Amino acid sequence: MADPEASNQSGGYDVEQFVDTPDYDLICTICQGVLKCPVRAACHHIFCKKCILQWLKRQETCPCCRKSVNPSLIFVMFKLSKSIGRMKVKCKNEIRGCSETFSLSEQYCHSMTCMYELIPCPYQGCRVQLLRRDLDTHARHCEHWRQPCHMGCGTILSHRTQAKHNCYKQLRQEYEARHRNHRAIATALQRGR
Ligand SMILES: [Zn+2]
Ligand SMILES: [Zn+2]
Ligand SMILES: [Zn+2]
Ligand SMILES: [Zn+2]
Ligand SMILES: [Zn+2]
């Protein structure tokens, strides 16, 4: 019986992600994806860890050769896992315009900086989802944009209040600058006498 939840959770990496078609022996026979955290059973068949553990909950035989499998005798293949991690993949945002490729192990780091990643607007209360590269443009109009006054007066400004903000810190700074200027003129005049 098909178990939609199990197929959603199943382990492997989507074959389509890879720049070069992955070798047949890197494909998990349970999920048909590229092995994620590969483990080897006593019969020497290899599966994603998640896939085989889920399989063994229902029957304790290898899905390839039907030999019985002892769940405590499956071993993670670290070397294989590492070499799969070095395989080149395309960005999952390729359809949105990202043309970058990188090794599988760098995928997470890339998604944190990918300009074509769909992210929620970071300003509280805003429900807009946008591409990371559009964030600056959006922030200029976002109703929920908030930023403390750059003068450090402690006021939190929105786009609406920013234009009207009469900052006491700024006024004081201007006043002090003018004052210094007047003093300088006065000193100069005194010296000139
Ligand atoms: Zn799998
Ligand atoms: Zn087997
Ligand atoms: Zn990308
Ligand atoms: Zn926003
Ligand atoms: Zn201010």
Side-chain angles (χ1 to χ4, degrees):
M1 202 179 77
D3 180 350
E5 231 199 316
S7 66
N8 278 343
Q9 296 172 347
S10 69
Y13 302 103
D14 185 0
V15 175
E16 298 291 312
Q17 264 187 280
F18 291 81
V19 175
D20 302 311
T21 311
D23 281 346
Y24 179 75
D25 55 4
L26 297 178
I27 306 293
C28 167
T29 43
I30 300 174
C31 69
Q32 301 300 317
V34 172
L35 294 161
K36 186 189 250 176
C37 188
V39 294
R40 188 171 62 191
C43 60
H44 286 202
H45 284 119
I46 300 169
F47 311 95
C48 311
K49 186 177 180 182
K50 207 171 192 173
C51 292
I52 191 65
L53 289 180
Q54 239 162 33
W55 175 274
L56 293 176
K57 274 186 210 159
R58 278 173 271 177
Q59 42 197 317
E60 296 213 332
T61 53
C62 172
C64 292
C65 65
R66 308 281 160 197
K67 282 186 191 156
S68 74
V69 173
N70 182 344
S72 59
L73 286 177
I74 58 172
F75 298 101
V76 179
M77 304 182 72
F78 293 105
K79 261 194 180 158
L80 181 60
S81 182
K82 264 202 176 144
S83 63
I84 290 172
R86 282 193 294 266
M87 288 167 70
K88 281 265 174 294
V89 292
K90 294 175 266 187
C91 179
K92 63 177 166 31
N93 299 319
E94 190 191 19
I95 38 162
R96 299 198 186 98
C98 184
S99 56
E100 284 198 49
T101 61
F102 33 82
S103 63
L104 180 61
S105 57
E106 289 164 341
Q107 195 172 39
Y108 179 72
C109 281
H110 173 77
S111 73
M112 297 309 280
T113 54
C114 178
M115 284 297 162
Y116 295 88
E117 182 88 354
L118 204 57
I119 54 166
C121 172
Y123 298 106
Q124 205 175 19
C126 185
R127 309 175 79 93
V128 170
Q129 294 262 332
L130 71 172
L131 296 187
R132 184 175 276 125
R133 66 166 188 164
D134 297 332
L135 185 56
D136 285 350
T137 319
H138 170 78
R140 262 178 255 141
H141 309 286
C142 180
E143 269 179 66
H144 300 272
W145 180 92
R146 294 292 181 275
Q147 209 163 66
C149 169
H150 73 281
M151 295 299 293
C153 70
T155 312
I156 303 293
L157 300 170
S158 69
H159 286 309
R160 223 153 20 90
T161 56
Q162 189 182 35
K164 292 182 285 185
H165 177 55
N166 219 342
C167 185
Y168 78 88
K169 277 224 174 187
Q170 189 156 7
L171 291 177
R172 190 164 65 193
Q173 218 173 64
E174 280 164 13
Y175 170 79
E176 281 167 0
R178 224 172 321 154
H179 199 72
R180 269 197 302 274
N181 201 12
H182 286 170
R183 261 206 318 251
I185 292 169
T187 322
L189 286 175
Q190 266 175 1
R191 281 213 202 100
R193 240 192 273 162

